[in-house]
Amino acid sequence: MISGEEYRERLKEHKKEIYVKGEKVGYDHPNVKPVVNAIAYTYDLAKEMGGVHSDLINGKVNVLNAVIKSFEQLVFRYEFQKELSHRLATCNYRCTGCDAINSLAAGLNDKGRKKLFEFLKEVQKNDLACTASLTDSKGDRSKRPSEQKEQYVRVVDEQRDGIVVSGAKIHQSGAFASEINFVLPGQTFKKGEEEFAVAFALTPEDKGVSYVVQNTGYQALQREGADAGNPKYGDRITCVVIMDEVFVPWERVFIYKDLRATASVLQNFANSHRCVGAACKAEFLASMAGAASLMLKANGLENVSVLRQKVAEIVGLSEAAFAISIGAAYKGEKVGEAYVPNAIMANSAKVAGVDSFMKAIGILTDISGALPATSPSEEDLKAEGIGEKLRTILKASEKFSPEERLKIAKFVSFWLSSSHVFGAVHGGGSPSAALIFLQYLADFERYEKPVKDILS
Amino acid sequence: MISGEEYRERLKEHKKEIYVKGEKVGYDHPNVKPVVNAIAYTYDLAKEMGGVHSDLINGKVNVLNAVIKSFEQLVFRYEFQKELSHRLATCNYRCTGCDAINSLAAGLNDKGRKKLFEFLKEVQKNDLACTASLTDSKGDRSKRPSEQKEQYVRVVDEQRDGIVVSGAKIHQSGAFASEINFVLPGQTFKKGEEEFAVAFALTPEDKGVSYVVQNTGYQALQREGADAGNPKYGDRITCVVIMDEVFVPWERVFIYKDLRATASVLQNFANSHRCVGAACKAEFLASMAGAASLMLKANGLENVSVLRQKVAEIVGLSEAAFAISIGAAYKGEKVGEAYVPNAIMANSAKVAGVDSFMKAIGILTDISGALPATSPSEEDLKAEGIGEKLRTILKASEKFSPEERLKIAKFVSFWLSSSHVFGAVHGGGSPSAALIFLQYLADFERYEKPVKDILS
Amino acid sequence: MISGEEYRERLKEHKKEIYVKGEKVGYDHPNVKPVVNAIAYTYDLAKEMGGVHSDLINGKVNVLNAVIKSFEQLVFRYEFQKELSHRLATCNYRCTGCDAINSLAAGLNDKGRKKLFEFLKEVQKNDLACTASLTDSKGDRSKRPSEQKEQYVRVVDEQRDGIVVSGAKIHQSGAFASEINFVLPGQTFKKGEEEFAVAFALTPEDKGVSYVVQNTGYQALQREGADAGNPKYGDRITCVVIMDEVFVPWERVFIYKDLRATASVLQNFANSHRCVGAACKAEFLASMAGAASLMLKANGLENVSVLRQKVAEIVGLSEAAFAISIGAAYKGEKVGEAYVPNAIMANSAKVAGVDSFMKAIGILTDISGALPATSPSEEDLKAEGIGEKLRTILKASEKFSPEERLKIAKFVSFWLSSSHVFGAVHGGGSPSAALIFLQYLADFERYEKPVKDILS
Amino acid sequence: MISGEEYRERLKEHKKEIYVKGEKVGYDHPNVKPVVNAIAYTYDLAKEMGGVHSDLINGKVNVLNAVIKSFEQLVFRYEFQKELSHRLATCNYRCTGCDAINSLAAGLNDKGRKKLFEFLKEVQKNDLACTASLTDSKGDRSKRPSEQKEQYVRVVDEQRDGIVVSGAKIHQSGAFASEINFVLPGQTFKKGEEEFAVAFALTPEDKGVSYVVQNTGYQALQREGADAGNPKYGDRITCVVIMDEVFVPWERVFIYKDLRATASVLQNFANSHRCVGAACKAEFLASMAGAASLMLKANGLENVSVLRQKVAEIVGLSEAAFAISIGAAYKGEKVGEAYVPNAIMANSAKVAGVDSFMKAIGILTDISGALPATSPSEEDLKAEGIGEKLRTILKASEKFSPEERLKIAKFVSFWLSSSHVFGAVHGGGSPSAALIFLQYLADFERYEKPVKDILS
């Protein structure tokens, strides 16, 4: 297992086409670097918390690159990511890589799985940073893929050594800073739509891939270099991944025109990502609880019990969310070669996690006061004429300097006014999507049976 | 492990003072019998699902009588009770007995624990049905116990062979049909209040104990013998337990004037009961989901997707609640001689469980239509003049007779208009109480630390 | 305007077929009398609060019998019913009568309206108690009325002097104690279904009408004569109204095979009832706030600020609900001859009102403690052996006797465990039904237009 | 009444000290101009919707500058602001000016009111744009003002012609673009704290006033000139107002060391602002409903009924919020010289409004999909290499160009990721503050009385 620094070094060799606001940028760009920092941390934390054993290379690997084999390993994954969520206060970006590895290990056919494991050996040996993307641009939702092929990642040419693919994945967190990007199907397909039933891995060397970074307010702040509440790791930075006639050798093509494997990998990915999402959100809430607690202290309000109780409410939501993910892991099962969480609990975790996330945001907004919104820039505190005055009026509790209080307020503001809400709600699909899954997964007979027995 | 029938036989030997509406009644009284039926089922289910090993008697015991030793045993307890909740659609009554055994095993001092284990040997050998009570009547909440001793269970005399206690426990589910009733402290006490710091076990032979059964509308229905939606097991039937100079031999006195043990047992009981409460509520929700699904079918509405999706929403809440209890069990620890759930997750489970319970009630009310409220009596369907007409207009889906549809509606009504809501919300203390626990249990430093690191 | 006593006297002349548990009963039956009491109070309150002017008889009439002509009259109606809700803590039963009068005045064609006004003159002169029923039994929801005629109120014969109708209305609050029962269509009908498009009024003299009273736990308590938390006015008592070849003279037939009038009356009824429902629920919440406040006092907890704040939360929900109904009235309009509330706000009021109602129930449950569930019977307090002991332990605050505290607890229990929840949620249709209305009523262009302007 | 253009012209004469990121800026700065645009619109809308009559100048004035005299005028104010909220999708900034005028007219003593009316004549004649500020920086919340005078606006010198004040108001929306800024007390004061009990008006000519603009991500976007979802009117832009020995002539000092007037003005301001906040939020929700509806259409999802129903849910919340404000206005009363909304309903409106706002944000997030978060910059669509490809994959419904769809997504993002949430939640104080008001305003006797009558 390498260090974060080694990962950073390795990145330098890659020449990816990354666009921000219409211009090509490098890994040092202020909207790109936070993602690199976050991914680097996933390496450093593995040094601290350890890895898990992989049969493939007969050695320890970062859990995010592992084929999960047991309940304990799955819980360890959740523990690892929960720690990342709390320390980074943002996405760790490799989560989807782990979901991809495991949903492929679960859902592929034998041939595909064999290829996967060969490929994984290299990934694990080199400790490569992996991500995954699923959602096609989809265009007009009332049309089938074949009516608007350009809206789907698809095979445009089949060659002796591999395939050529075109299309775009529209929402992917941090792809531009990963080393392996798994491209998976974003939906199931019907007979006759086999050209879209494809899953493969991209490497930094592949030609024809461009990444277009999202642009929300928080990124604009980052570009200015001040007032970004989470200065080192930033918010969840996503991008559009455009593939323009990209050649992929057969060794990295895991699904090819296989509708069954497509459906299985998709469903396993959804379950996997929805479940870990509860663990991840648990510690986003923990980060909010910490921010709230510090804000109260900085305001001199830490002894107001009705406010502390509201922090405790966030804590309760956080602990419950993490507990759900453990429960779902315990009730999980072996599918194919991977141990995956219980499907119905995983979807329930998603719905519960989002609900708790929105509640926590409401509480944090209420008890933090308006300072996170109305606070001036860090630069104002240094400005002639107003700086000294601002420092006076921003001083509250004696235990915090005005600068420290402002930083806390900016961090609260980061939680409430960056694009995190979206990420948390939509990662792994919307809550509405999880509810639809639940409707299909629920065995209504199981629920009715004891009632019938009681009434008979 | 005995059968339900054996338990019923054994009850006949006991002459308890049970009051309903001012009169002494026996185990066949319609408000008492459903509790006996529910407890009997706890025996029969153990035959079906098996027991757990007890070192004390070196054999299998009903998990509800066991000192829980591991995560797996604790999850088995939750599985067992969840099954009971779904099949009984009401309290199983022995839950608090299990909480008592384990909180005593966790919190007692050495001498007390030795006595407990001796006592438990008999309990386990005979497979006795145990319950527990905590809440004193408390009187005026602004006064200390010493100002109103009559409002607390207390030692009124100390004799060579044991103690004499008086007082009352005001809320206890099903005590009148149990064989052992653990009487535990309902709060912590200060120095000088040692007379209240007492924990002991009551047996059916003890003189001076009376049980006064609650009287809500549902019990009135039971007395009339028709229209009780859960005809066999009824709603959660509670009582007041009055102790009037009851002699308890030293062998059954586990805490005596020990303020530390009192606090520890109390806290462990609360955590234990709040955690299992999430598992229990999970399958109350499953029962509601089953009822909702049947109601939709009986109404001919099972294909309306927006309605089925709402059933799926209840399913999601149910599965999440159960998953939380497993998570809390996994993060549990050995305290004294018992493996107990994680304290902070247990309290979080309580808050989340009640929240889900209230949500599910709202959903069930919305999608069941008004029939559960406005349906006539079963007897009307047999009455001359109107019976035939009612049977015609109560017929909806062809798959259900009017009588069957009415029964389902009555079962829904049972969930919504019996005293279950209270039981679910208050068992183990109110959600507000759990929030206060959370405030004390939460290590705010743990939440602040990573935020400070990010901002430093 | 007559007194409640005069109404009671008049009832004695009526011989209605009222069934409870399969047997015919009179107005003194414990399940019938509370409805009579509630309706009688609507007369007495009119003496206290005054009536409104009616052009039809050129004099003052009870607002519940009036054709509402203005915003001020509509608000007066809401004020009147809100007062009833708070004082009765249950349905006033004449609400639907007022909705029927006004939706007919709004939606009828000229001929129908002329008949209505002639009929209303008699109603107003004699100050008759009116109710209305809409919901047919409907049978299998997947079938059209013509496939299962017996599930709908319909014309079975047309005679020179009138029509003969058969069928049943399945949910109607208090019909058995009213003097006029308006029977209105429960849904719209298509061409070819004209036989169901009928609206008329029933009088106590009409032959062939039977009323079958609902039977929930609360009614069982009433029959026993103790422990009914709202002893005089009871819970919302509904019934099934069965019509078996009932002759209705033309003078009382307001819609006959008119599909347009059917749709208009139905929609106006729904809007009218959903809007007043917010005013009504506002003071159900006020009753809960009063109950909560008394419970806290009786428990000696009235100075715990976190608990009082929760009562204030109920108060806030109550006041907001009433304000919505006023706002909807102000934005109302003249339709036909009646001033009706704003349709979209009326439906919004319904959704908001139910939401607040469920929230208030959750709060009341939380802060009342478990006594409302576990309290013994009033009769236990008088029983030998336990009565005196119970009186001791049920004593809390010195300002309340044990009997008074028990009464308050029983009243709280009445709010939480009677069939009120159903009535509040389903009166005027389920919240889901109101949401569907909103979808059709909302002019999405109005919402999009300013957004388009901003973005253009 | 002047036009927006005239207001803009007038601004040019003012030389205010406005700081953005440590530098002095003018009215054309991208973070200042949107506020100017919004305020200019308040003038243009008055031309469209008309004004109200003012006795003071015996002519029509913009309702935002009027002393409200009646229910109808108050509703007109709400209608006017609701229209502004929908068309601007942000704060109109003059709202607090109107609250200030009316809370002063309500709460001042005779001498103060006389001065106010003289001053208002000039304001109305010249149609000046007014705002108001209340919240002092407050420093350590556990200290009284006299222990940290620098944290409060206070009189530092009393001169023959007026007073000299110092201090800061920490949260004020749009003050830098107003012409009159009312400075009002942010809390009540005790005897001995009279130096803080002061209320006055600032004009652009006053020396010693600086405005430091907030700096959130959205402002950074504005500075870059692209991707700001609400390009013309921006988000709610607040500032800190610093007063450094500002001389205020007696004519503009309305409260001076009068503790009673301070309390009355403060309470009336809170009620006024909390009530109009519900009307204002109503149309923020309307804007979200419009945005949601357009997003669905642009995605080709407008016929998915479960999604449209969720838009209808926002509509329901919006209409209910507006109805509450009307109800509160109707139940209002004359206080001093102003007609003010009902105090208890106004605070209920605040709590309900915030609750609905948070719900709507949750719904909008769910149904908009992830595009609002992950969408690239407008500039990417024009960039060589990727522009054309992006245009292809961002095309969904044929009725919308990729640019149009992106604009809608950016507008949704503006609602979810700008500092609006804070403004909506904290304007007029936090919801928790409104709940505390409710606790004091609620006459618990009124709620208990009918319950006592029922139980007696």
Side-chain angles (χ1 to χ4, degrees), chain A residues 449-456, chain B residues 228-231 291 294 404 406-412:
Chain A
K449 173 82 172 47
V451 176
K452 281 183 192 162
D453 289 347
I454 281 174
L455 299 183
S456 69
Chain B
N230 189 2
L294 286 170
E404 285 169 337
L406 197 65
K407 271 188 182 175
I408 295 167
K410 298 276 179 197
F411 185 72
V412 170

Side-chain angles (χ1 to χ4, degrees), chain A residues 251-322:
Chain A
E251 296 81 45
R252 290 192 257 130
V253 179
F254 309 117
I255 297 181
Y256 187 61
K257 301 188 175 179
D258 180 342
L259 300 182
R260 189 213 58 80
T262 293
S264 178
V265 168
L266 175 72
Q267 174 146 352
N268 277 293
F269 186 94
N271 295 344
S272 176
H273 197 58
R274 284 171 189 168
C275 193
V276 72
C280 170
K281 262 173 223 88
E283 296 295 294
F284 285 162
L285 297 200
S287 178
M288 288 190 212
S293 185
L294 286 169
M295 192 81 248
L296 291 185
K297 283 183 179 167
N299 289 346
L301 289 168
E302 76 264 38
N303 292 325
V304 180
S305 75
V306 69
L307 296 174
R308 285 209 84 66
Q309 187 148 335
K310 281 177 183 287
V311 184
E313 222 171 311
I314 301 180
V315 167
L317 294 167
S318 165
E319 295 285 335
F322 190 59

Side-chain angles (χ1 to χ4, degrees), chain C residues 236 277 281 284 350 353-354 357 419-427 429 431:
Chain C
R236 176 191 307 257
K281 262 174 223 84
F284 285 161
K350 163 84 190 181
V354 168
F357 193 76
S419 59
H420 260 288
V421 177
F422 268 104
V425 172
H426 284 284

Side-chain angles (χ1 to χ4, degrees), chain B residues 57-84:
Chain B
I57 63 167
N58 198 23
K60 288 270 177 198
V61 298
N62 191 309
V63 70
L64 296 174
N65 277 352
V67 179
I68 305 290
K69 292 292 186 186
S70 66
F71 163 57
E72 285 76 17
Q73 286 191 348
L74 192 49
V75 169
F76 180 71
R77 178 190 169 183
Y78 297 162
E79 299 274 8
F80 189 77
Q81 287 199 219
K82 143 185 190 309
E83 204 57 36
L84 285 171

Side-chain angles (χ1 to χ4, degrees), chain B residues 130-133 172 175 178-183 200-203 211 241:
Chain B
C130 306
T131 59
S133 58
Q172 190 183 354
S178 74
E179 296 174 298
I180 299 300
N181 194 20
F182 290 98
V183 179
F200 53 89
L202 293 178
T203 68
Y211 304 86
V241 183

Side-chain angles (χ1 to χ4, degrees), chain A residues 435 439 444 447-448, chain B residues 285-317 358-373 405 408-409 412-413 415-416, chain C residues 138 141 171 350 354 358 421-427 429-436, chain D residues 309:
Chain A
L435 271 179
Q439 197 178 338
F444 289 106
Y447 296 99
E448 291 172 6
Chain B
L285 297 200
S287 179
M288 289 191 213
S293 186
L294 286 170
M295 192 80 248
L296 291 185
K297 284 181 179 168
N299 289 347
L301 290 167
E302 75 263 37
N303 293 326
V304 180
S305 75
V306 68
L307 296 174
R308 286 210 82 67
Q309 187 148 337
K310 281 177 183 286
V311 184
E313 222 172 311
I314 301 180
V315 167
L317 294 168
M358 299 308 287
K359 267 189 203 156
I361 283 178
I363 297 171
L364 183 61
T365 305
D366 187 11
I367 66 178
S368 294
L371 190 63
R405 187 167 171 237
I408 295 167
V412 170
S413 176
W415 271 117
L416 302 176
Chain C
K138 288 191 286 189
R141 270 69 173 169
H171 314 298
K350 163 84 190 181
V354 168
M358 298 309 286
V421 177
F422 268 104
V425 172
H426 284 284
S430 68
S432 294
L435 272 178
I436 292 169
Chain D
Q309 187 147 335

Side-chain angles (χ1 to χ4, degrees), chain D residues 204-225:
Chain D
E205 291 75 31
D206 295 329
K207 304 271 179 248
V209 187
S210 341
Y211 303 86
V212 190
V213 177
Q214 77 178 151
N215 190 38
T216 69
Y218 195 77
Q219 274 95 53
L221 270 189
Q222 289 174 325
R223 287 191 288 269
E224 291 188 341

